[in-house]
Amino acid sequence: MSPYWSPLVHQLAPYVPGEQPKLAQLVKLNTNENPYPPSPRVREAIEAELGADAARLRLYPDPTASALREGIARLHGLAADQVFVGNGSDEVLAHAFMALLNHRDAAGAPRPLLFPDITYSFYPTYCRLYGITPQTVPLDAQLRIDVDALIAAARACDAGGVIFPNPNAPTGCGIARAAVERLLAALPDRVVVVDEAYVDFGADSAIPLIAAHPNLLVVHTLSKSRSLAGLRVGFALGQAGLIEALVRVKDSFNSYPLDRLALVGAQAALEDAAWFEQTRNAVIAARTQLSADLAALGFEVLPSQANFVFARHPAHRGAALQQALRERAVIVRHFSRPERIADHLRITVGTPAECAALVEALRQILG
Ligand SMILES: *Cc1c(COP(=O)(O)O)cnc(C)c1O
């Protein structure tokens, strides 16, 4: 704390990312990074952009990222003005909160933003930053997103918008496209943001709904299924009117969120369909094996459509298991709040060898 701070800074509740330990030799299954490297074309593209003397780095990158946006549009059967790119999907989400989810009613009272009670913990952080009132809607008894409860709550509190991940984080459970469509159709006057950070690992994407639903914004990242968490590239897809709002915020904040290396590296990754298929299929196969191995050890494992599993052991506290794993050089994520998930561990799907090391450590811990 310092007397120099702007008043808002005192109100912030910053997001706490999973640990990035300095020690090598750890089995790192705590931040949902992809265990496989990105397409080799990423390195080639970045080296070509750098050239022998990196002279191009003298020049600002394309502020509109037009080549990358056109590539993303082609991939998804959209037009370039239906694509927004940002420095990681977290930045894209931040702009969406400011541009599309911060509303007031006719009397000037804030309209709340709805999201599930157990979800990506950056959402309440952005609410604090932008002065948005959050309102949470409980997951159902199986820890799944309850679309009917979201619709009812949105009407009851005159919500200014709705946001949720599909599949949800940290549970890994997805909802069907038909359920998303029902929500969009029920709430045509509000923006619905579907954060599809993990969708490539087996969930239904809402992208085919964009054409018929002007209130839908779909957010993707290259951090998970494209193995590029370190390059920081995310994007949003929606009708041009929503995208224009994001561009207006971005151009009031930072004209060049993606640097030259990120622009070409992202494009190369998106073009390598074969690498994408091969690595995501490996992750999906490892997830099936890991889920079965955990169940055999007595864990209750939620059905995952993501690159992580969410599991609890009925006889062990989550915090104790996390600590015991750490002592065996295996790092997983544990959330002590809310209470309902305090005994769950969120375990990133690693390589088969990493998953086997985790399972072996758990076998020792459980005795
Ligand atoms: C990982 C993640 C993101 C953010 O990813 P970036 O690395 O910022 O692109 C967004 N939403 C959810 C639900 C995530 O898990």
Side-chain angles (χ1 to χ4, degrees), residues 4 18 32-33 50 75 113 137 145-146 155 168 197 240 242 267 274 276 291 301 318 337:
Y4 301 117
N32 298 343
E33 289 138 329
L50 273 174
L75 201 61
L113 175 64
V137 177
I145 288 175
D146 184 340
R155 289 182 174 146
N168 195 16
L242 297 189
Q267 181 127 18
F276 171 68
S291 300
V301 188
R337 260 164 244 273

Side-chain angles (χ1 to χ4, degrees), residues 217-241:
L217 190 78
V218 179
V219 179
H220 277 215
T221 177
L222 276 69
S223 295
K224 278 66 182 241
S225 60
R226 302 280 176 170
S227 305
L228 287 175
L231 202 65
R232 312 304 305 133
V233 184
F235 58 91
L237 307 173
Q239 290 194 12

Side-chain angles (χ1 to χ4, degrees), residues 14-341:
Y15 176 75
V16 183
E19 179 190 359
Q20 292 293 347
K22 299 287 178 285
L23 289 173
Q25 302 311 43
L26 287 176
V27 177
K28 187 176 179 304
L29 303 176
N30 67 331
T31 52
N32 298 343
E33 289 138 329
N34 198 303
Y36 300 106
S39 159
R41 294 195 204 167
V42 171
R43 184 192 174 125
E44 287 165 20
I46 289 174
E47 284 180 348
E49 179 68 18
L50 273 174
D53 54 6
R56 279 207 198 129
L57 295 188
R58 291 183 308 111
L59 305 173
Y60 283 106
D62 174 8
T64 67
S66 56
L68 177 58
R69 286 192 303 109
E70 278 158 21
I72 293 169
R74 260 196 312 279
L75 201 61
H76 294 291
L78 299 169
D81 66 359
Q82 298 178 304
V83 180
F84 177 82
V85 296
N87 193 262
S89 62
D90 286 335
E91 184 184 81
V92 175
L93 290 166
H95 289 345
F97 272 65
M98 179 177 254
L100 301 168
L101 300 175
N102 193 354
H103 292 284
R104 287 175 183 272
D105 66 18
R111 296 169 64 193
L113 175 64
L114 289 193
F115 46 85
D117 62 338
I118 295 167
T119 195
Y120 188 37
S121 55
F122 229 131
Y123 303 156
T125 292
Y126 292 135
C127 285
R128 293 264 187 149
L129 178 61
Y130 296 121
I132 298 170
T133 306
Q135 170 134 340
T136 59
V137 177
L139 297 182
D140 71 14
Q142 283 79 47
L143 296 178
R144 290 175 311 202
I145 288 175
D146 184 340
V147 165
D148 294 307
L150 282 172
I151 293 171
R155 289 182 174 146
C157 73
D158 188 27
V162 180
I163 184 167
F164 58 89
N166 191 31
N168 195 16
T171 61
C173 303
I175 58 173
R177 184 180 302 136
V180 178
E181 185 162 30
R182 202 146 47 77
L183 181 75
L184 291 165
L187 305 172
D189 301 329
R190 295 133 170 116
V191 170
V192 175
V193 177
V194 185
D195 178 355
E196 296 190 338
Y198 301 103
V199 78
D200 293 329
F201 298 106
D204 255 5
S205 176
I207 293 171
L209 304 175
I210 287 172
H213 295 278
N215 57 331
L216 169 62
L217 190 78
V218 179
V219 179
H220 277 215
T221 177
L222 276 69
S223 295
K224 278 66 182 241
S225 60
R226 302 280 176 170
S227 305
L228 287 175
L231 202 65
R232 312 304 305 133
V233 184
F235 58 91
L237 307 173
Q239 290 194 12
L242 297 189
I243 299 302
E244 188 185 345
L246 299 174
V247 173
R248 289 177 71 119
V249 168
K250 169 239 174 205
D251 284 330
S252 304
F253 178 74
N254 176 6
S255 306
Y256 308 103
L258 293 193
D259 64 59
R260 287 179 165 273
L261 308 183
L263 287 173
V264 297
Q267 181 127 18
L270 291 167
E271 282 167 1
D272 196 344
W275 187 272
F276 171 68
E277 288 297 332
Q278 194 185 320
T279 51
R280 83 158 156 189
N281 289 341
V283 169
I284 290 168
R287 177 182 73 205
T288 304
Q289 182 68 48
L290 175 61
S291 300
D293 290 349
L294 290 172
L297 288 174
F299 281 86
E300 295 161 6
V301 188
L302 288 183
S304 171
Q305 291 170 284
N307 70 336
F308 57 85
V309 298
F310 201 52
R312 72 183 277 274
H313 196 289
H316 292 268
R317 305 310 311 256
L321 282 178
Q322 182 197 33
Q323 182 55 33
L325 283 169
R326 168 174 277 283
E327 285 158 16
R328 289 163 178 80
V330 180
I331 312 292
V332 301
R333 194 100 200 253
H334 167 255
F335 301 92
S336 47
R337 260 164 244 273
E339 186 56 38
R340 199 172 165 203
I341 57 164

